[in-house]
Amino acid sequence: MIKNEEVYKIGRLGKAHGVKGEVSLQFDDDIFDRVDADYLILDIDGILVPFFMEEYRFRSDTVALVKFEDVNTQQRAAELTGCNVYFPRALADEADDSPSLSSLVGFDIVEAEGGNTVGRIAAIDDTTANLLFELEDGRLIPANDDLIHDIDVAHQVIKMDIPEGLLEL
């Protein structure tokens, strides 16, 4: 059984496309294209289920059309509409490049000086010019490279230099 901590969300399935079982994938992270992965994980009624990809093609920078194995009709593809799509952390960790922003959700932020845990990242806010880590308690921390001291993917910890007074806002 796949556990929530073993995956991270990369997008959501949209409408069926055509009559041969393709479905649109609205993604925040194109890790499935950068890392050799044969499958994506879909949340089907609260259960994480692997779906093997036959092929995919990009429609834009944020939408791909995906054909999953054994999804051969428009009706079957339509049943998947609205499913959240996840990627295995283990495969993402094997990638040579730095971790993607989406994969940082669930990481703990720890003060580089003192080692105090600030909180756990619940989401990444990229709606403004400045990228922000949104913590589970609602606080926002700037995701600025100058503040990030170290990212420990294995332990899911980000060590940061937190400016004085920021946590009191």
Side-chain angles (χ1 to χ4, degrees):
M1 179 175 212
I2 301 170
K3 298 177 183 170
N4 285 330
E5 54 272 3
E6 296 173 344
V7 298
Y8 68 95
K9 185 178 174 187
I10 63 167
R12 186 175 184 89
L13 292 182
K15 298 188 305 186
H17 180 80
V19 296
K20 296 184 180 179
E22 279 187 317
V23 64
S24 65
L25 166 59
Q26 299 158 345
F27 59 89
D28 301 322
D29 188 338
D30 66 350
I31 188 78
F32 63 94
D33 187 50
R34 293 182 284 120
V35 174
D36 188 24
D38 297 329
Y39 64 96
L40 296 175
I41 298 166
L42 305 184
D43 183 341
I44 308 284
D45 298 326
I47 299 171
L48 298 175
V49 180
F51 275 73
F52 288 85
M53 296 181 288
E54 285 183 11
E55 61 184 9
Y56 62 87
R57 57 193 160 110
F58 291 97
R59 290 198 71 184
S60 71
D61 290 344
T62 59
V63 177
L65 296 177
V66 180
K67 172 68 175 81
F68 291 112
E69 287 182 8
D70 300 323
V71 178
N72 298 316
T73 65
Q74 183 179 16
Q75 179 182 352
R76 177 65 179 119
E79 292 171 2
L80 301 175
T81 297
C83 288
N84 286 326
V85 180
Y86 296 85
F87 196 81
R89 285 188 189 274
L91 291 178
D93 293 347
E94 292 174 6
D96 292 337
D97 49 358
S98 61
S100 65
L101 286 173
S102 299
S103 70
L104 298 178
V105 172
F107 279 43
D108 289 323
I109 293 182
V110 175
E111 290 180 300
E113 192 172 310
N116 297 326
T117 299
V118 175
R120 180 163 288 160
I121 299 172
I124 307 294
D125 182 350
D126 61 356
T127 59
T128 64
N130 296 316
L131 198 62
L132 301 168
F133 293 133
E134 183 177 335
L135 303 183
E136 289 177 341
D137 63 7
R139 292 183 292 174
L140 300 172
I141 306 285
N144 186 302
D145 287 342
D146 294 337
L147 300 178
I148 297 173
H149 196 268
D150 181 51
I151 299 176
D152 183 346
V153 175
H155 295 102
Q156 296 187 354
V157 171
I158 300 173
K159 289 185 182 175
M160 294 186 71
D161 293 319
I162 307 292
E164 190 172 327
L166 180 70
L167 299 177
E168 284 76 41
L169 295 177

